[in-house]
Amino acid sequence: MLDRRPRADDQHGARAWQAVIGACRAARGRARRLDCRVLEWVVAHPDPMLDRWMPRLSRATDHLVAWWAVAAVMAAAGGRQSREAARWGLAAMLLTSPVCNAAAKNLIGRSRPPERIRRRRPGRVPESGSFPSGHTAAATAFVTASALAAPRVGAPLGVLAVGVAYARVYTAAHYPSDVAAGALLGVTVALALHLPVRDRPG
């Protein structure tokens, strides 16, 4: 008859796997608590000027409106390189938005910050998923792709993108990790869009 008793190495392997899972869960719990503490700290330290302008900046980038306006200004007021940068920025932004909003948000399904925090900040909070931040993803995609095409636009556009990212946390629309993930996604898409062109011979 077959010996069905678990072998010692199998038992050790199972315990090791359970320890890894436990460590991962503990790390995730600590990360979530830190995420909440950082958000609560930001919300608990208001500034009258930021209370006025952060919601406006956040709303201005709803539905990518502000970035279309920036691209129009770049195309109208700049030269050939600036127009090229605007095209690259729009392409990266339009590619990033469905990846973030239609795919990642639905796949992860993270809830927005609780209402007890959101109530302490002005600004409308959408009902869509929280992770990652679509506003931040679109902003960083536009800025990264534009800066790769025309480096001189990187600094001013970068300041605007940082403002958008902070506005999403300041208005309690997102956790800091949502914004960080959105920024990473936007940069990744912009780089992926540029690399095949840059690597093309001739």
Side-chain angles (χ1 to χ4, degrees):
M1 296 181 62
L2 295 176
D3 186 0
R4 300 193 175 206
R5 291 176 298 176
R7 293 182 301 173
D9 55 346
D10 290 340
Q11 293 177 336
H12 288 313
R15 284 196 293 268
W17 183 242
Q18 290 173 350
V20 170
I21 294 175
C24 291
R25 287 176 176 171
R28 184 176 63 179
R30 286 193 294 269
R32 286 181 174 176
R33 289 191 292 272
L34 177 62
D35 217 14
C36 291
R37 283 198 292 267
V38 172
L39 175 62
E40 290 182 348
W41 185 91
V42 171
V43 172
H45 292 78
D47 178 89
M49 186 177 71
L50 294 181
D51 279 347
R52 180 181 181 184
W53 290 106
M54 288 291 100
R56 294 183 180 183
L57 178 59
S58 186
R59 286 193 299 269
T61 52
D62 285 349
H63 310 295
L64 313 177
V65 172
W67 298 111
W68 282 100
V70 169
V73 171
M74 290 169 62
R80 183 190 62 82
Q81 190 180 43
S82 183
R83 290 192 295 272
E84 186 73 9
R87 285 194 293 270
W88 276 108
L90 289 175
M93 179 183 72
L94 293 174
L95 182 59
T96 300
S97 289
V99 172
C100 178
N101 297 319
K105 282 180 181 288
N106 291 330
L107 180 65
I108 297 169
R110 185 184 194 182
S111 299
R112 296 278 176 169
E115 190 175 350
R116 65 179 178 80
I117 297 177
R118 288 156 47 184
R119 191 180 294 125
R120 293 152 67 187
R121 273 281 170 267
R124 182 183 65 84
V125 175
E127 298 300 323
S128 59
S130 186
F131 187 97
S133 167
H135 285 67
T136 307
T140 53
F142 185 95
V143 172
T144 303
S146 296
L148 288 171
R152 61 189 175 85
V153 306
L157 292 183
V159 171
L160 180 58
V162 170
V164 171
Y166 187 69
R168 301 307 286 169
V169 177
Y170 190 85
T171 58
H174 285 286
Y175 293 98
S177 62
D178 300 338
V179 169
L184 180 60
L185 175 61
V187 170
T188 300
V189 172
L191 291 175
L193 194 62
H194 261 272
L195 285 177
V197 176
R198 287 180 172 261
D199 292 342
R200 188 181 299 167

